[in-house]
Amino acid sequence: MLDHYQSGDWRADRVVITGDLIQDDTAEAYDRFRELLLPLNMRMHCVPGNHDIRDLMRKVCCVPPFSYCAYEEIGDWLLIGLDSCVGGDDAGGLLGPEELERFSATVAGSSAKHVMVCLHHPPIPMGSTWLDTVGLRNGDEFLQCAQSIGRVRIAVFGHVHQAYDKAHDGIRIIATPSTCRQFKPGSDDFALDDQPPAYRRIALQADGGIDTELVWIDDD
Ligand SMILES: [Fe+2]
């Protein structure tokens, strides 16, 4: 995926990485992640996924150009990363009261007209039985919070290894497929799909509009 990006003409201003940076619980894996991503030479917003080890991840992702569950104002937009992980062996997600309060307070303290939220877990069911047992348990609470805050236009997440893009009460709910293997959409049980790795381009317009495009990395 990085080779595809580097060899193309399209250039991003920021990178958003919605968790599960590693899978083997080692500091070396985060070092490898850092080495791979550093050549992009731009700010990279990271949030943890259920496979991440927060303490190890912070050692890499709290150091520029990476940032960890941070916020940034970019033109008319506020971008904020939230930690939706329960921790331990629990693959599911939950936004605790402190994280929801941080979300509300950060948006309240910003004059940005539009807000993009980045988290690991899907705030709404994907229609896939096994994945929906490990989604964001308080997705309704999160969406109600986002609605009451106002200005939240888009929530992007990973975790589900498949594409998803629907509006929910005026908020675009967007999943980006994995940069590795994909899961089969709509499956009751764990099942891999044969789709290739992918990344998503997102253009945030000054008027709050959102243009997005998936880039599938086919071998050819
Ligand atoms: Fe995950």
Side-chain angles (χ1 to χ4, degrees):
M1 189 276 281
L2 290 168
D3 287 345
H4 182 279
Y5 172 78
Q6 297 282 30
S7 64
D9 295 329
W10 181 81
R11 285 291 169 261
D13 298 312
R14 299 289 187 281
V15 179
V16 171
I17 303 164
T18 52
D20 288 352
L21 279 49
I22 66 150
Q23 189 160 317
D24 66 358
D25 299 357
T26 67
E28 288 77 12
Y30 285 106
D31 290 341
R32 174 81 174 135
F33 166 84
R34 181 177 175 278
E35 286 168 18
L36 283 168
L37 275 289
L38 265 185
L40 291 176
N41 195 29
M42 71 185 90
R43 185 161 179 182
M44 290 175 266
H45 285 272
C46 306
V47 297
N50 51 294
H51 289 288
D52 287 301
I53 309 295
R54 285 190 182 95
D55 289 346
L56 296 178
M57 181 174 165
R58 283 195 192 98
K59 285 180 181 170
V60 164
C61 294
C62 289
V63 181
F66 301 97
S67 58
Y68 181 95
C69 294
Y71 68 89
E72 181 185 8
E73 290 184 345
I74 310 166
D76 293 301
W77 284 80
L78 171 73
L79 185 157
I80 180 168
L82 301 179
D83 182 345
S84 62
C85 296
V86 175
D89 294 330
D90 193 334
L94 186 77
L95 285 166
E98 287 182 11
E99 199 64 347
L100 286 175
E101 174 55 31
R102 185 174 73 86
F103 174 37
S104 301
T106 303
V107 177
S110 169
S111 58
K113 294 177 184 167
H114 318 291
V115 179
M116 172 174 168
V117 187
C118 313
L119 72 169
H120 184 66
H121 294 85
I124 59 174
M126 293 287 101
S128 181
T129 308
W130 75 279
L131 272 174
D132 289 337
T133 64
V134 289
L136 187 68
R137 287 180 196 135
N138 61 338
D140 287 346
E141 185 182 12
F142 163 67
L143 290 171
Q144 284 170 11
C145 178
Q147 288 292 351
S148 65
I149 288 171
R151 296 184 276 159
V152 179
R153 314 285 181 228
I154 173 174
V156 298
F157 54 94
H159 193 52
V160 298
H161 294 234
Q162 60 193 268
Y164 188 89
D165 182 355
K166 285 186 181 168
H168 184 94
D169 290 340
I171 300 175
R172 285 280 285 277
I173 307 292
I174 290 182
T176 296
S178 171
T179 52
C180 187
R181 301 295 300 272
Q182 313 303 347
F183 298 152
K184 195 173 184 63
S187 178
D188 288 339
D189 301 308
F190 174 87
L192 290 173
D193 203 3
D194 56 6
Q195 289 278 70
Y199 68 95
R200 183 184 285 282
R201 299 171 178 172
I202 301 174
L204 304 174
Q205 310 294 355
D207 65 358
I210 298 156
D211 297 321
T212 181
E213 173 189 6
L214 274 174
V215 181
W216 297 97
I217 315 295
D218 291 293
D219 287 342
D220 57 358

